[in-house]
Amino acid sequence: MPVITLNKERFSRFVGKQLSVDEMEKWLPWIGVHIDEKGPDYVKIEVNPNRVDLCSHAGVARAFKGLMGWETGIPEYKIKHGKTVLRIDKSVSNIRPYMLAAVVRNVKLDEDAVAELMEIQEDLHWGIGRDRKKASIGVHNLATVNAPFTFKAVAPNAVRFVPLDKSEEMTPQEVLEKHEKGVAYKHLVDWAPKYPLLVDRDEKVLSMPPIINGELTRVDRNTRSLFLDVTGTDYNAVKQSLNTLVTTLADMGAKIESVTVRYPDHTEQSPNLSPQQMSLHLDHANAMLGLHLSENEAVKCLKKCRLDAKKSGKNMLDVMIPAYRIDVLHEVDLVEELAIGYGYYRMKPTLPVTITVGEEHKAGKLARYVEQILIGLGFTEVMNFTLTNEDTHYVKMQKKPGSPARLANPVSSEYTILRAALLPGLMQNLMDNRHESFPQKLFEVSDVILINPNMKSCCERRLHVAGVVSYPNANFTEIKSIVEALLTNMGLKKWRIKAIKDSSYLEGRVASVSLGKEQIGILGEIHPQVLNNFTLENPVAAFEVDLEGLVGKS
Amino acid sequence: MPDLRENEQKTLLTLQKLGGKANTDQIVQQSGLAHAAVMRAALTLTEKKLVKINEKPQIAVTLNSEGKLHAEKGLPERRLIDILVKFGNQMPVEKAVAEARLEQSFIPIALGWLRKKDWATFAGKEKLLTVKGEPPQGADEKLLQLLKAKGETLLETLDKPLQDAVDMLKKRKLVETREKTIRELELTEVGWQTVKKGIAIVEEISQLTPELIITGKWKTAKLRKFDVTAPGPTVYPGKLHPMRAIIQRAREIFLEMGFTEIRGPIVETAFWNFDALFQPQDHPAREMADTFYLSYPKLGKLPAKSIVEKVAKTHENGWTTGSKGWGYRWSAEEARKLVLRTHTTSETIQFLSKHQKPPVKVFSVDRVYRNEKVDYKHLAEFHHIEGIVMDKHVTLRDLMGTLKTFYRKFGLTKIQFWPSYFPYTEPSVQATVYAPKLKAWIELCGMGMFRPEVLAPMGIKYPVLAWGGGLERLAMLELEADDIRVLYKNSLSWIRRKPVCL
C-alpha cells in the first residue's frame, strides 16, 4: 500500500490553516488513511489501494478540508481550451492502443514537488496501471519540444535517443536490453514487431512508453509548463490515471489546458474532468448504516467527502462524483461516503436483534474430545504447520517420496509441500526438544492434506491425531495401551490390531488399527535409523490415527 | 516431655552416649542415621532448646595422592631400610635401590631422608650403605597409617608428636590441611533432663502402606512428620498448546454469542478465494508474491455454471448488480488455479451460497496462508478468526456492537472504528482495540458489509456483516510473546511454563 510522508508545514499550506502534528494524527484517520508513524514535523500515512487520489499532499488536503467542513462539495477544475494536438497513429493499435494527454501551465515545482510528482506517478503505476501494464505515465517539460505530437510504433532500431538518466543515445532495442527500466519492463512490449514511441513535430523523442522517458524532456525546478501523457491497454485506467494526476497538479496551483487527441477513427478533447453521476437511495443507505439521516443531512455528509448531492425525490439523492474518485463502482460506495461524512466515531454500536443458537462443528468437537483424552493420559499438545518439506516428511522418516500437494511458489526450502501425516512434525518436535527433561509425551490433533480427485479442489483436508512417547523405556506395549485407551474413551468398539510392515517403524513392533474393513491408524516403535536421522537418543513409540471418518459418529 | 520424632530421639540418645557433646560426624557414625537426618534433627532439637550447636573452626588433615601411595607402600626411606635389613645390613646403594624397586623419582628422596633421620651411613667409592639396625616406626609413619585408616582427621584430635608429624609431612608435600567449620552438638540442661528421664524409641514410618491400613497397625505405628517445606521434584502436567487454548477461547466466545462453526477446504480454487469475493484477476493480492499457488495439483473444478457466469459478468460489467464492474475479460482458467486459502472468507461465501435463508450466524477459527517471508512479525501459515451475520435488518452499527461484545469477552474493553478498505466489503471498517498490557491501540481485525457484487451472484438477498483477522496478534498479547514465531516453535519448556489459565 502507498505510504506518504506528510510534512506539517507543507500540508498546512495546502490546507490553508496552520495544523499541529497532533491535530493531523487525530483527524486524518477519519478520512480513511492509516497513521503509520508520527514525527516532530511529519505524519506518515498509509493509503488504501483504492484511493490513489490520496497519494499527495494536495490530494490529502483536499479530502481533509472537506471532512473538517472547511471546504466542502465537489472541487471545480477549469480547463482552458488549448491548441496542442496529439495524433495517435494506427500502428500502435495492436500494441498500446490508448493515449490521453494534457498540458499543464503555471507550474511552480520546488524540489519537494518534483519528488512528489515522481511518487504519485509510481503510486498510479501500481494502483491503477497494474505495474504499467494497463496504464503508464509520462511527464515532460513542454518547453523542450514542439507540438503536434505523434504516438506511433517504430522498428526496434529505427531511432536513437538519450533515455532518462543516461548520457548516450540508444535505440529502443538497446533500451530494452541495457537500460535498467528496459530490462524490468520489456515484457510489456518486446513481443511486438515494433515498439511504441512518442515524438514531436521534429521527430524528437519524448518517451518510449511504457518503458522510459527521454532525457530531453526532463522536468526540474525551473520547468513552468508540462506535457502529460498516459498510454495504456485499458481506456478507463488511462483516463483515471490522467485525471488523478491533472487534478492533483491543479490543486497545487497549476492551470490545465486541453489537448486534441486524434485517433484514426475519432477525435476527443483531453482531459475530460466531467463528474460521474449516480443516484443514492437514502432509505436503503440508512437501513445499511443503522442511521436516520434526512435528505439535507445526507447532502451535508456527502459534501464533506468532496461530492456534490441534491435531493431528486423522496429519499432520493443525485450525487456528483469528481473525476479523480476512481473507486466509486456502485451505489454502495456512496453509502460508505455517507458514513465517513457522518463520522464513524459518531456511530453508536448496537447488537443485532437476530436470535440464533450456536453449535460447534462436529470435527471441532471430536478434536476437543480427543485432546481431552490425551491430556488425561499425560500428553502435551504441539501445533505444527501444515507446510513442510520432503526431507522431514519422507527422507528422515525412511519413506519413499509420495506425491503430496506441492507449492508452485515456495518462499523457502523449509516449506515446499503440504503434510500428508502428522508424525514427521512430532519427530521434529522431539528433535528440537532433545535438551528438555524426559519422559516427553507429545500429541497433535490437526489437519493433513491428501490428494483426492473427487474433491473440487482435488485435495482433501482430513483430521488426524498422532502422538509420540520418548524416554529410555518407551516401547510398543505402552503405545498400544495408550491407543486402546484413546479408542475406548472415544466410544469405539471392535477395532482390530494387526502386525504390518512400515519402514518408519521397527519390524515386528508395528501394527495397524482397523475399524471394520478400513485401516484407520498405525502404531509402534520408531525405527532406530529414523531416530538417528532425527538425532534422537531415546527410543520413541508413536501412533497416528485418521479421525476424519469418525467425525460426527462417536 | 516434648513430642520427639524418631530421628530426634536417636540423636539425643547418641549424644548422651558420647558424653553430652559430640560433632555431627561422630553422631552419624554412632547412630547409623544419615548425615542429613542428623542435621535436620539437630536443627529441630535446637528449636526445642534440648541441644545447642557450637560451631568451631577446625583444621582437617588429609593425604594427597603421593601421601596415599606412601601410606600404602611405606615411605621410600623405609622401603630401602627394609631391604638392607633383609640383606644383612650392608649393600651398595645401586643394588639396594634395585632390590627395593624404588621408583626413579623417589631415590634421591629416600637417600636424603636416610641421612636426615640418621638411619644409615654411606662409605667408599661404591657408596656402600650400612645400617645400624631396624629403626622404630616414626611419628610421621604413624600419621600416614592413621590418615590411611580414618581419611580426613581433625588436627585437634591428634597428640603432640602426631601434630608435629603433620607439619613435617606437609613440608614433604604428602598431606594437605584445610579449614573447616565443625558443628558440635551439646546437650542443654533441659536436654540432659530429658534423656535422664529415659527415651523409649518408637519406630517411625514414612510410607503408609496397604498392609498398615488393612491390619490396623497404623493405630500404633508412628507416622513420621514431614518437613512440608522441603522442595520436591518438578512434574509437568499434560496440557493444551497455549495457542490452542486461545483458539478454544475464541471458539467458546463465538458459541456463547450464538454463532455456528463452519469448516471448509484449505486448498481452494482461486474462484472461491478471490473471484467470488469480487477481487479482479489482475488484483495485486492475487499475485504470486502474496498467495501460495499449487504446482500439484494445479487446477480445480469450478462450481455450477449458473454461479460462474454471474460472477464472470459481475467482474466484466457489473451484471445486474448495479455496479460498473472491473471492465476486463474474465478468465475461467485463472479462476480454476488452486491456492492455499488466504482467508477463511473463501469458505464463508460458499456457505452463504448454500444457506440463503436468514438468519445465518456462522464463524470459523482456522488456518490461512500468505506467501510471506517468516520473521518476528509474519508467518506463512496462521489462524484467522471470522464471524458472519446475515439477516433481514442488520446494520453497520450492529456489526460494531457485535465486535465490541466479542472483544470485551477477551478482556479488551476499549475499541474504535475507522474507515478502511477491503475489496469485498462496503462500507469497510478497521477496528483498533486498546491493549492495556502494551498501553497502546492495536489493529486486530477488519470488517464490513459484503458488497452487492459479492452477494448478488450467490443469490443472497440480505445484508451480510463480516469481520475477521489474524488471531496470532491477540495470542501474542495474551501469551506475552514479542516474536510471533514463538507460538509455533513447540519449545517444550515454553509450553510447560505457560499457565493453563490465561
Side-chain angles (χ1 to χ4, degrees):
Chain A
M1 279 199 269
V3 174
I4 321 286
T5 303
L6 295 176
N7 172 277
K8 181 184 78 176
E9 295 306 324
R10 192 171 161 78
F11 186 66
S12 295
R13 273 205 303 281
F14 277 109
V15 171
K17 264 186 215 279
Q18 187 59 46
L19 295 165
S20 69
V21 168
D22 288 339
E23 284 171 310
M24 288 166 69
E25 188 200 21
K26 184 177 172 194
W27 291 104
L28 279 169
W30 300 113
I31 64 171
V33 297
H34 175 82
I35 306 284
D36 231 24
E37 198 184 303
K38 185 174 87 167
D41 59 351
Y42 69 90
V43 171
K44 209 183 241 184
I45 59 165
E46 213 174 285
V47 176
N48 287 318
N50 63 329
R51 288 299 298 271
V52 273
D53 60 296
L54 295 179
C55 289
S56 63
H57 280 76
V60 179
R62 188 165 57 198
F64 189 72
K65 283 189 282 189
L67 191 82
M68 302 306 283
W70 298 334
E71 187 184 302
T72 62
I74 200 163
E76 222 179 296
Y77 297 106
K78 290 204 181 84
I79 302 176
K80 194 182 159 204
H81 187 79
K83 291 187 181 123
T84 311
V85 171
L86 168 65
R87 201 175 63 83
I88 313 293
D89 190 83
K90 68 172 187 296
S91 59
V92 295
S93 61
N94 290 323
I95 307 166
R96 210 165 169 80
Y98 305 108
M99 176 178 265
L100 290 172
V103 166
V104 182
R105 299 202 190 267
N106 192 28
V107 177
K108 288 191 199 95
L109 296 171
D110 53 15
E111 260 164 51
D112 291 341
V114 173
E116 197 170 37
L117 203 54
M118 311 280 267
E119 274 171 36
I120 302 168
Q121 261 189 82
E122 286 314 305
D123 292 333
L124 287 169
H125 282 158
W126 183 82
I128 303 179
R130 299 282 184 260
D131 210 10
R132 304 192 184 192
K133 182 170 173 254
K134 288 166 85 171
S136 71
I137 298 161
V139 179
H140 309 281
N141 182 351
L142 184 59
T144 60
V145 283
N146 294 301
F149 303 109
T150 304
F151 185 41
K152 61 181 182 179
V154 298
N157 289 308
V159 186
R160 301 186 73 81
F161 72 99
V162 182
L164 197 61
D165 295 334
K166 297 282 166 203
S167 51
E168 57 191 272
E169 288 191 335
M170 291 184 188
T171 66
Q173 177 84 44
E174 285 166 347
V175 168
L176 295 192
E177 281 161 10
K178 290 179 193 161
H179 197 284
E180 48 278 18
K181 294 286 177 193
V183 173
Y185 292 101
K186 69 176 179 196
H187 61 278
L188 296 174
V189 289
D190 68 351
W191 45 269
K194 289 180 168 186
Y195 302 148
L197 211 64
L198 177 64
V199 296
D200 80 343
R201 184 185 68 189
D202 310 316
E203 294 289 320
K204 286 196 279 190
V205 176
L206 281 78
S207 67
M208 178 185 168
I211 313 292
I212 188 83
N213 279 0
E215 177 68 23
L216 174 68
T217 57
R218 171 187 280 280
V219 171
D220 60 28
R221 279 192 301 170
N222 301 317
T223 306
R224 290 290 168 264
S225 299
L226 299 176
F227 180 72
L228 307 181
D229 82 78
V230 184
T231 65
T233 56
D234 179 318
Y235 181 78
N236 273 327
V238 169
K239 186 179 160 188
Q240 290 169 350
S241 300
L242 182 68
N243 287 353
T244 308
L245 193 58
V246 163
T247 51
T248 303
L249 282 163
D251 279 324
M252 289 164 82
K255 305 273 180 248
I256 314 295
E257 207 176 283
S258 68
V259 173
T260 304
V261 185
R262 291 209 175 110
Y263 281 93
D265 53 351
H266 75 286
T267 296
E268 60 182 281
Q269 290 297 312
S270 166
N272 177 357
L273 294 180
S274 50
Q276 190 192 154
Q277 194 176 344
M278 219 179 240
S279 301
L280 177 63
H281 295 74
L282 190 55
D283 47 355
H284 173 66
N286 274 328
M288 270 188 92
L289 298 176
L291 296 176
H292 304 281
L293 299 174
S294 68
E295 288 99 343
N296 282 342
E297 286 170 317
V299 166
K300 232 167 132 186
C301 292
L302 291 171
K303 283 193 165 183
K304 279 182 146 188
C305 296
R306 306 312 306 262
L307 312 174
D308 260 351
K310 60 174 192 284
K311 186 176 169 177
S312 62
K314 180 148 178 58
N315 275 322
M316 285 296 290
L317 298 180
D318 255 350
V319 184
M320 306 296 276
I321 302 141
Y324 60 80
R325 288 299 301 269
I326 60 158
D327 56 310
V328 181
L329 294 180
H330 189 282
E331 190 183 335
V332 73
D333 294 302
L334 298 178
V335 177
E336 183 177 87
E337 294 300 312
L338 198 59
I340 291 174
Y342 179 79
Y344 278 32
Y345 54 94
R346 287 170 65 196
M347 297 178 78
K348 289 224 165 60
T350 48
L351 272 183
V353 289
T354 310
I355 303 274
T356 48
V357 177
E359 195 181 338
E360 71 183 324
H361 192 278
K362 290 186 174 88
K365 196 171 186 173
L366 179 62
R368 202 162 46 75
Y369 287 147
V370 169
E371 281 163 5
Q372 195 188 341
I373 298 166
L374 286 167
I375 288 169
L377 287 164
F379 280 71
T380 291
E381 190 187 35
V382 290
M383 289 180 79
N384 288 300
F385 293 129
T386 55
L387 288 170
T388 182
N389 58 73
E390 280 162 307
D391 183 53
T392 306
H393 211 65
Y394 299 112
V395 179
K396 285 205 179 101
M397 293 301 291
Q398 213 171 218
K399 287 259 190 205
K400 276 191 220 127
S403 46
R406 185 181 301 278
L407 296 184
N409 52 336
V411 72
S412 76
S413 58
E414 210 179 327
Y415 306 130
T416 54
I417 58 169
L418 287 161
R419 67 180 174 193
L422 300 179
L423 185 58
L426 292 174
M427 296 300 290
Q428 182 68 42
N429 298 143
L430 288 175
M431 179 174 161
D432 295 340
N433 286 295
R434 277 171 306 184
H435 51 283
E436 300 296 339
S437 64
F438 288 86
Q440 295 181 1
K441 297 166 90 176
L442 310 178
F443 80 99
E444 180 167 12
V445 184
S446 190
D447 300 305
V448 302
I449 307 294
L450 304 181
I451 303 296
N452 182 347
N454 296 326
M455 311 297 283
K456 285 234 154 89
S457 61
C458 303
C459 293
E460 188 187 6
R461 162 185 199 178
R462 292 187 77 89
L463 185 68
H464 274 209
V465 57
V468 287
V469 176
S470 178
Y471 67 104
N473 296 322
N475 62 38
F476 179 85
T477 311
E478 180 178 5
I479 206 73
K480 185 174 176 234
S481 301
I482 286 165
V483 171
E484 298 202 304
L486 172 66
L487 300 175
T488 307
N489 283 281
M490 284 170 68
L492 297 172
K493 287 170 190 133
K494 291 189 193 163
W495 59 83
R496 279 190 316 133
I497 306 272
K498 206 177 87 184
I500 55 163
K501 280 186 186 175
D502 186 291
S503 52
S504 298
Y505 294 82
L506 263 176
E507 199 177 336
R509 300 186 183 190
V510 50
S512 65
V513 185
S514 308
L515 266 181
K517 281 179 190 163
E518 207 150 335
Q519 180 180 328
I520 58 161
I522 186 167
L523 63 103
E525 284 181 34
I526 297 295
H527 197 286
Q529 182 59 55
V530 175
L531 299 179
N532 285 162
N533 295 347
F534 284 99
T535 66
L536 297 178
E537 289 170 0
N538 276 315
V540 175
F543 74 92
E544 177 149 359
V545 174
D546 184 344
L547 299 174
E548 193 68 27
L550 304 171
V551 168
K553 285 185 184 156
S554 55
Chain B
M1 179 174 138
D3 186 24
L4 293 176
R5 289 160 45 201
E6 185 186 354
N7 288 346
E8 292 171 342
Q9 292 172 340
K10 281 184 179 167
T11 304
L12 280 182
L13 288 174
T14 309
L15 209 45
Q16 182 188 25
K17 221 176 278 172
L18 292 169
K21 203 191 234 186
N23 68 39
T24 44
D25 287 346
Q26 291 168 309
I27 297 172
V28 167
Q29 230 168 26
Q30 183 77 35
S31 67
L33 291 171
H35 189 265
V38 173
M39 289 310 293
R40 263 203 304 275
L43 285 174
T44 49
L45 287 171
T46 314
E47 280 164 22
K48 291 170 185 168
K49 297 199 166 33
L50 298 173
V51 158
K52 71 176 181 187
I53 299 176
N54 306 318
E55 293 196 340
K56 285 201 293 187
Q58 286 279 14
I59 291 166
V61 187
T62 46
L63 290 171
N64 66 11
S65 58
E66 196 180 327
K68 277 180 194 153
L69 184 80
H70 292 330
E72 194 64 43
K73 290 188 172 177
L75 286 166
E77 63 267 27
R78 174 63 66 184
R79 286 160 70 188
L80 212 50
I81 283 290
D82 286 348
I83 288 300
L84 283 168
V85 170
K86 193 172 158 194
F87 287 91
N89 294 348
Q90 202 174 46
M91 274 175 103
V93 171
E94 265 176 48
K95 206 177 165 207
V97 165
E99 282 295 336
R101 296 195 183 151
L102 220 49
E103 295 81 350
Q104 198 62 39
S105 58
F106 293 149
I107 297 168
I109 296 171
L111 296 177
W113 281 99
L114 277 185
R115 228 179 254 157
K116 222 180 247 180
K117 289 185 176 175
D118 196 22
W119 283 356
T121 55
F122 297 83
K125 270 188 184 171
E126 280 193 314
K127 298 210 169 150
L128 201 62
L129 209 50
T130 313
V131 296
K132 294 159 191 155
E134 189 175 349
Q137 191 185 35
D140 52 349
E141 288 170 300
K142 276 187 198 152
L143 181 66
L144 276 184
Q145 291 316 309
L146 182 92
L147 292 175
K148 183 184 157 198
K150 284 180 67 177
E152 191 178 80
T153 306
L154 296 178
L155 192 61
E156 199 193 58
T157 60
L158 302 174
D159 58 16
K160 182 75 175 74
L162 284 178
Q163 285 185 0
D164 291 343
V166 169
D167 280 341
M168 192 171 128
L169 289 186
K170 208 176 159 187
K171 275 180 202 142
R172 280 187 77 168
K173 297 203 169 112
L174 300 181
V175 301
E176 282 164 8
T177 58
R178 67 184 178 93
E179 284 190 16
K180 192 181 173 185
T181 305
I182 293 300
R183 290 187 184 81
E184 188 188 65
L185 307 192
E186 189 181 353
L187 283 175
T188 61
E189 207 152 308
V190 188
W192 274 116
Q193 286 166 12
T194 307
V195 289
K196 276 179 190 156
K197 276 181 205 153
I199 295 171
I201 292 185
V202 182
E203 198 190 340
E204 281 190 340
I205 291 158
S206 58
Q207 181 66 49
L208 188 61
T209 61
E211 199 227 334
L212 288 172
I213 299 166
I214 296 162
T215 57
K217 280 184 190 161
W218 62 269
K219 289 175 193 162
T220 50
K222 190 164 186 202
L223 283 166
R224 178 181 307 144
K225 288 179 182 164
F226 290 152
D227 173 6
V228 293
T229 61
T234 311
V235 292
Y236 302 102
K239 62 161 91 159
L240 283 184
H241 189 282
M243 184 66 205
R244 175 74 64 201
I246 305 273
I247 291 173
Q248 297 294 33
R249 180 69 196 122
R251 293 177 72 237
E252 280 164 18
I253 293 175
F254 275 116
L255 292 166
E256 285 161 14
M257 291 174 69
F259 285 76
T260 289
E261 187 174 32
I262 58 173
R263 173 178 182 251
I266 283 173
V267 175
E268 193 53 274
T269 52
F271 181 86
W272 287 115
N273 196 72
F274 296 123
D275 296 279
L277 295 165
F278 197 52
Q279 291 200 38
Q281 294 186 328
D282 63 356
H283 193 280
R286 292 178 72 143
E287 274 166 25
M288 302 274 270
D290 289 289
T291 304
F292 281 122
Y293 285 83
L294 292 197
S295 63
Y296 175 80
K298 205 170 177 175
L299 298 176
K301 294 170 206 124
L302 294 181
K305 216 174 153 191
S306 57
I307 289 186
V308 176
E309 271 175 8
K310 287 171 195 166
V311 168
K313 280 183 194 152
T314 305
H315 277 244
E316 289 181 350
N317 55 28
W319 185 50
T320 60
T321 63
S323 174
K324 295 198 280 182
W326 292 116
Y328 73 102
R329 182 135 183 79
W330 188 83
S331 148
E333 188 73 2
E334 186 64 34
R336 283 182 60 204
K337 285 184 179 169
L338 290 175
V339 301
L340 296 185
R341 63 176 179 195
T342 60
H343 46 200
T344 47
T345 321
S346 55
E347 171 56 18
T348 310
I349 188 64
Q350 281 181 76
F351 185 88
L352 287 172
S353 74
K354 291 174 205 142
H355 299 81
Q356 301 168 349
K357 221 180 110 196
V360 174
K361 269 168 72 177
V362 292
F363 80 94
S364 66
V365 184
D366 217 338
R367 291 175 194 271
V368 297
Y369 302 78
R370 296 283 161 89
N371 190 351
E372 218 148 8
K373 206 165 164 51
V374 174
D375 62 24
Y376 77 104
K377 266 168 109 171
H378 302 95
L379 292 174
E381 182 175 347
F382 53 99
H383 286 81
H384 252 188
I385 54 173
E386 173 154 339
I388 295 285
V389 182
M390 186 259 269
D391 202 2
K392 281 178 185 160
H393 303 296
V394 288
T395 70
L396 189 66
R397 286 172 61 199
D398 289 340
L399 178 55
M400 291 173 170
T402 306
L403 208 74
K404 200 173 166 170
T405 309
F406 181 84
Y407 283 112
R408 201 186 56 219
K409 281 171 166 274
F410 257 116
L412 301 166
T413 51
K414 284 202 240 172
I415 188 160
Q416 277 187 316
F417 302 101
W418 312 89
S420 189
Y421 170 77
F422 304 102
Y424 46 93
T425 56
E426 192 79 12
S428 298
V429 186
Q430 178 75 51
T432 57
V433 297
Y434 185 75
K437 279 183 193 167
L438 299 178
K439 294 198 172 83
W441 290 87
I442 56 168
E443 275 174 44
L444 276 189
C445 75
M447 56 200 254
M449 299 173 80
F450 276 5
R451 293 188 67 98
E453 294 96 325
V454 175
L455 299 178
M458 302 299 149
I460 302 159
K461 295 188 181 66
Y462 304 102
V464 174
L465 312 178
W467 86 91
L471 183 59
E472 276 72 5
R473 192 88 189 263
L474 189 64
M476 285 168 78
L477 206 62
E478 293 279 316
L479 299 170
E480 287 166 353
D482 314 325
D483 186 329
I484 195 167
R485 290 169 293 196
V486 168
L487 301 180
Y488 298 101
K489 218 174 150 223
N490 294 306
S491 152
L492 213 42
S493 69
W494 183 75
I495 298 173
R496 283 170 171 174
R497 202 165 59 233
K498 286 288 157 191
V500 170
C501 304
L502 291 167

